[in-house]
Amino acid sequence: MNTENFLNKFYEKFGNRNDKPVLFFAPGRVNLIGEHTDYNGGYVFPCALNYGTYLLIRKIKNNVLRFSTLNFNADEETEISGLFVNTGKKWINYPLGVINEFIKKGVQITGLELMFYGDVPNGAGLSSSASIEMVTAVAVNDIFRSGLDMLELVKMSQRAENEFVGMNCGIMDQFASGFGKKDHAIFLNCDTLFYENVPVFLHGYSLIITNTNKRRGLTDSKYNERRAECEQAVELLQAYKPVKNLGEITAGEIPLLDKYIDDPVIRKRAKHVISENSRVVEAVAVLKENNISRFGELMNMSHDSLKDDYEVTGTELDTLVYEGRKLPGVIGTRMTGAGFGGCTVSIVKDSDSARFMTGLSAAYQKKTGIVPDFYQPEIANGAGKL
Ligand code: GLA
């Protein structure tokens, strides 16, 4: 992002070059392993990306919020008078939901001009929404001097998405966007919120993200359905022991699921979550030992489990993954994020990465008729002022 250009766009839109806005950034994320575990009190291992959402923000005298974005033509203006309500299917629900959280905390919100620019692809499972929420949260916190800490901002952003936008996500995306650290992934226990930054130096290998470019369809409803299935599993497991979430069950206990869960679908869902959790723990341990090949195997196992037991992949993601695995230099490849579409993340040998992208692009187009996009991301720091 060229800051000079961005500033010029801001002045063209809102005028008054003598009063400079402040620039903030919040990253999107890619999850390396630990999928659909966050809302089960389990482990995740995401990292923040150098792609995300930028925000220029300035206080004004009028009692209005003026929103603009460089991503599409959809300026909005809304008066400030108490709590906001959801505006229907509009992009400003993300920042408005966050601003609402500040109002609920008693922060006196006054007039603002806000201009957003995102370079993380929309709806691709790389947390464009969380990055809009988090950039709003850090900016509002800063310019109104609210003094809230990062964890609070993360929770407020998650609440905005759950309660205002109406997507019942876990805490992973907002947490990764807030707590990201350059060249590190975040080993997060989503139950206790204890976390550890683990260095990701792949020595001759790199992360490659591939976008299915499949239009998102039923993701939200399927996502909520999976959450409900996990809750059902927890309820059934009460006959075994008093657990509050699936994160409390260990891989060694998986054989017991047969005894307590009759419904084969619910049993599969629970099996994915429990096995995925233990894969995260092992993945972090092997990464610390530089055992990248085992890390890749665990990524592959994660995808297979998301396909067979959790059933959140679909033709496009599976094509990328199984065609990708046939190519030289691919250590591991899996879907990342909620699934059903969105992206895969792969670890590929640097000397094979160009061949990987051309080979996979051809194979994917042949099978699906869609052209995929590739990103070679850097692992970046979390949200803040630039
Ligand atoms: C989405 C949600 C996250 C998490 C993932 C699946 O990205 O926003 O909270 O549940 O799906 O791991």
Side-chain angles (χ1 to χ4, degrees):
M1 152 62 50
N2 178 319
T3 313
E4 208 45 48
N5 281 350
F6 195 21
L7 265 176
N8 282 334
K9 298 266 182 212
F10 185 93
Y11 292 131
E12 274 164 34
K13 178 69 62 184
F14 297 120
N16 189 6
R17 287 183 178 263
N18 299 324
D19 186 6
K20 221 179 158 196
V22 192
L23 180 61
F24 294 85
F25 174 75
R29 64 97 190 91
V30 64
N31 189 20
L32 300 181
I33 192 162
E35 220 64 82
H36 289 278
T37 44
D38 62 349
Y39 53 84
N40 285 300
Y43 294 106
V44 292
F45 197 47
C47 41
L49 299 172
N50 55 331
Y51 307 109
T53 304
Y54 296 82
L55 167 60
L56 278 171
I57 186 168
R58 180 169 78 180
K59 280 189 182 175
I60 47 171
K61 296 247 152 44
N62 308 5
N63 203 33
V64 290
L65 300 179
R66 292 195 184 121
F67 293 97
S68 184
T69 165
L70 296 186
N71 291 83
F72 31 82
N73 213 346
D75 291 356
E76 299 281 344
E77 183 164 323
T78 177
E79 213 155 300
I80 308 168
S81 61
L83 284 175
F84 295 102
V85 287
N86 183 303
T87 57
K89 281 209 165 308
K90 285 189 185 163
W91 69 277
I92 57 162
N93 281 327
Y94 296 98
L96 272 187
V98 172
I99 292 171
N100 248 8
E101 291 297 321
F102 281 89
I103 298 175
K104 284 190 208 162
K105 286 191 179 292
V107 177
Q108 198 71 38
I109 300 292
T110 52
L112 292 172
E113 286 161 341
L114 308 98
M115 181 173 269
F116 292 85
Y117 169 70
D119 62 1
V120 58
N122 260 344
L126 301 178
S127 296
S128 51
S129 337
S131 73
I132 298 179
E133 290 152 4
M134 284 303 299
V135 81
T136 308
V138 291
V140 170
N141 189 45
D142 186 275
I143 69 167
F144 290 110
R145 304 193 190 290
S146 319
L148 300 168
D149 64 22
M150 190 57 91
L151 185 57
E152 197 50 43
L153 300 176
V154 163
K155 289 179 178 170
M156 288 160 73
S157 295
Q158 186 199 9
R159 263 200 307 275
E161 178 129 5
N162 292 165
E163 292 167 18
F164 198 85
V165 178
M167 160 68 182
N168 210 9
C169 64
I171 200 164
M172 169 171 71
D173 304 346
Q174 291 79 7
F175 199 97
S177 183
F179 285 95
K181 184 173 171 196
K182 188 171 169 43
D183 296 328
H184 289 70
I186 305 166
F187 178 34
L188 170 67
N189 177 329
C190 298
D191 189 31
T192 59
L193 299 184
F194 286 139
Y195 73 100
E196 182 190 344
N197 290 124
V198 180
V200 181
F201 292 111
L202 299 174
H203 311 289
Y205 297 85
S206 298
L207 297 178
I208 298 185
I209 295 173
T210 312
N211 192 344
T212 59
N213 283 331
K214 181 195 174 190
R215 288 196 71 78
R216 277 226 292 200
L218 292 169
T219 312
D220 292 5
S221 64
K222 289 282 177 199
Y223 185 90
N224 289 340
E225 190 182 291
R226 293 296 177 280
R227 287 195 71 142
E229 287 163 344
C230 291
E231 279 160 23
Q232 255 177 285
V234 170
E235 218 172 289
L236 292 167
L237 287 168
Q238 299 305 311
Y240 165 50
K241 62 180 187 188
V243 284
K244 70 175 189 308
N245 59 46
L246 289 175
E248 292 173 28
I249 310 274
T250 62
E253 294 169 294
I254 288 177
L256 289 171
L257 298 179
D258 288 348
K259 185 166 166 203
Y260 295 96
I261 307 180
D262 280 340
D263 183 333
V265 172
I266 306 294
R267 209 188 305 141
K268 283 203 293 188
R269 304 298 190 247
K271 185 174 154 228
H272 164 73
V273 174
I274 298 163
S275 63
E276 181 77 352
N277 243 338
S278 75
R279 280 187 288 273
V280 183
V281 175
E282 189 188 343
V284 172
V286 297
L287 184 65
K288 286 179 180 171
E289 295 161 358
N290 282 325
N291 187 349
I292 315 246
S293 77
R294 179 63 185 160
F295 191 89
E297 276 170 29
L298 291 161
M299 288 173 77
N300 288 343
M301 288 159 74
S302 165
H303 185 88
D304 297 347
S305 172
L306 287 155
K307 171 176 170 286
D308 299 329
D309 289 337
Y310 218 62
E311 298 181 279
V312 292
T313 58
T315 315
E316 292 79 6
L317 286 168
D318 289 336
T319 302
L320 284 182
V321 161
Y322 297 111
E323 291 298 322
R325 282 185 201 168
K326 293 179 192 162
L327 297 169
V330 177
I331 300 300
T333 176
R334 59 180 289 276
M335 58 154 268
T336 184
F340 304 105
C343 292
T344 61
V345 56
S346 312
I347 296 183
V348 183
K349 200 171 181 182
D350 288 338
S351 51
D352 286 313
S353 62
R355 260 200 301 172
F356 169 79
M357 291 187 272
T358 46
L360 187 54
S361 182
Y364 182 69
Q365 284 184 62
K366 195 164 160 211
K367 288 218 160 157
T368 63
I370 311 173
V371 183
D373 281 319
F374 293 91
Y375 318 102
Q376 292 178 280
E378 281 166 30
I379 302 180
N381 283 325
K385 197 193 277 191
L386 290 185

